[in-house]
Structures are given as C-alpha cells and as structure tokens.
Amino acid sequence: MIAAPFSSSTANAASTRAPTISPLLPSCFVYGTLMSPEVLTCLIGRVPSMLHNVQLKNHSRHPVNGCVYPGVIPRNSSSVQGTTPLKSGATGIKMQSTGLIVEGVLLLDISPTELKYLDYFEEEGVDYTRTLVEVDVPYTNQNKRLLQSSNLLMQTPLSSSAEATTTSLLNSYLQVQTNAYIWARPHIDLDMSKSWHYDTFRREYLASYLENTVTPCRIEFEQMDKKGNE
C-alpha cells in the first residue's frame, strides 16, 4: 500500500517486478481502504460490482505501523508466536474454533488493466503479494447468480441434511477462488495487538487519503503506463 506519493526510483522498481503468483482472475477480495467506493472511483474510475460480508478464514487484519491502512496475514489462533496477543473482542476480528476470519468485500469483473492499477497501488511484490485465496460469500440467490455469471462459483453450499432447507441455505456460504493482497513484509511492521477499523478510516482519514495517496498514485501509474506504450 502506498503511504505517500511514489518517488521515481519506486516507480521504476514497480515496472520491473516479477510476475505475480496468482493469475489475472476477474475478481479481488479487498479488506482495507479498497472497500471504499470513493477510493475505487479515484483509483480506477468506477465502482465494480461488490459482494459484502465476504470472509477470508484463518487470516487476521492489523494496522500497518504508522499508516492508516491494514495488512492481512495467514494466522490461526496459535500460528504466530512471539507477538502481542489480540485484544479480546477486537472489532473486525471474528474468532472461530480453527482460527480467525477477516471480513471484507469481493470486487467482481475487474479488468486486467484495473488489476494492474491495484497492483501498483498496493506495491505488489514489495508490501503485498497478490495471492490466490478461497473466500466464503454469504448465500443469497443474487450472490449465486452474480458469481455464476462471472464464472467464479466453485461449489454450491453444503448442508448437513440431504435436503437443504431455506434456513440452512441462508446460513451457508458460496466458495470462491479469487485474488487477495496478503502482507509481504515482516509481521513486526504490523501492530499485532490491534485490528483495523474501516469506519474509523472513513471518518478520520478518507478525505486526506484520497488527496495525498490515491490521486498521486493514479496519476503516476498513468504517466508510467503512457511512457511504456510510447
């Protein structure tokens, strides 16, 4: 994630990064500032179709030290040792018997060009690694139709009974394979004792973030892309 406008050396490094691990899938799970429609509009010029309350299991989300955005790391309840324990009841972190859950938004129908914008914005290969993950989308007929139309649906919800009832389906999830930006730097760069709060970001930092971070990033990427096509 870009904390301040790029320098020319950073831009040059970004243009020579190795290929990302995950393929150019037409979707992306986002969990931080990219959940904001205003950030998306400023960065890629539109708000893609969004599915809300999507869950990434066995991961946790924490503020990046000294920054207004978070990082997500793989983390079962006992997978990270030597770090400060999470505060009990921390907002934005959902405990489950096997680990932790990060809740975010699934962006659909992301074009390859838009994904390049996101890579540049997230400093993919430096701060984050765009990784192929599996997420759970709440089961609704509309969500199922959207996922099927985007060829993203991996399997239908599983029910404990042979015949799924309306109630059981409402408590089920649709499994989707998608991109997500996973924190690539050392865990010490995250405040592991805290969770990151989207509402706080919107209320206290969104306006300055759009002006000082997102807009310069978009301009610099467009300039770099234009030079690359000349």
Side-chain angles (χ1 to χ4, degrees):
M1 184 72 68
I2 300 171
F6 273 10
S7 66
S8 58
S9 59
T10 306
N12 291 334
S15 65
T16 58
R17 290 172 191 155
T20 56
I21 293 175
S22 63
L24 293 175
L25 295 179
S27 66
C28 188
F29 173 77
V30 295
Y31 53 83
T33 64
L34 287 173
M35 292 193 291
S36 163
E38 295 89 344
V39 170
L40 289 168
T41 300
C42 184
L43 184 63
I44 64 173
R46 71 183 184 100
V47 179
S49 298
M50 305 171 74
L51 302 184
H52 297 270
N53 306 120
V54 177
Q55 296 183 351
L56 175 63
K57 295 180 179 179
N58 298 320
H59 288 71
S60 61
R61 169 177 48 199
H62 310 279
V64 177
N65 290 326
C67 301
V68 302
Y69 51 83
V72 153
I73 55 173
R75 192 170 192 265
N76 291 330
S77 57
S78 59
S79 63
V80 177
Q81 300 178 355
T83 59
T84 305
L86 293 171
K87 293 180 179 178
S88 177
T91 303
I93 297 180
K94 295 189 175 183
M95 291 295 298
Q96 104 180 134
S97 59
T98 58
L100 298 156
I101 294 175
V102 173
E103 193 167 273
V105 170
L106 184 64
L107 305 179
L108 301 178
D109 301 323
I110 301 294
S111 72
T113 297
E114 289 170 338
L115 203 54
K116 289 179 182 179
Y117 272 85
L118 299 185
D119 281 351
Y120 191 77
F121 180 69
E122 297 284 16
E123 292 194 80
E124 202 281 329
V126 179
D127 286 349
Y128 299 83
T129 300
R130 177 157 51 82
T131 306
L132 198 61
V133 299
E134 292 182 6
V135 296
D136 292 335
V137 178
Y139 181 91
T140 67
N141 289 331
Q142 181 179 8
N143 284 353
K144 184 177 179 180
R145 285 194 298 270
L146 285 170
L147 293 173
Q148 286 175 330
S149 66
S150 298
N151 296 317
L152 292 173
L153 190 58
M154 294 176 62
Q155 62 184 42
T156 54
L158 299 177
S159 173
S160 58
S161 61
E163 294 183 0
T165 63
T166 302
T167 301
S168 67
L169 285 177
L170 289 175
N171 293 324
S172 298
Y173 289 87
L174 301 163
Q175 193 174 46
V176 173
Q177 197 172 61
T178 185
N179 291 287
Y181 292 95
I182 305 301
W183 184 246
R185 291 189 181 275
H187 294 172
I188 195 173
D189 292 336
L190 302 175
D191 187 343
M192 298 292 293
S193 69
K194 297 179 181 178
S195 178
W196 182 85
H197 306 283
Y198 177 63
D199 291 341
T200 300
F201 165 75
R202 289 193 60 85
R203 182 175 62 253
E204 298 183 9
Y205 304 112
L206 177 59
S208 60
Y209 190 72
L210 290 170
E211 179 181 358
N212 299 323
T213 299
V214 187
T215 298
C217 173
R218 187 196 71 240
I219 293 172
E220 289 173 0
F221 179 83
E222 290 173 347
Q223 291 173 343
M224 185 183 71
D225 190 54
K226 183 179 179 180
K227 290 180 179 178
N229 293 327
E230 289 178 350

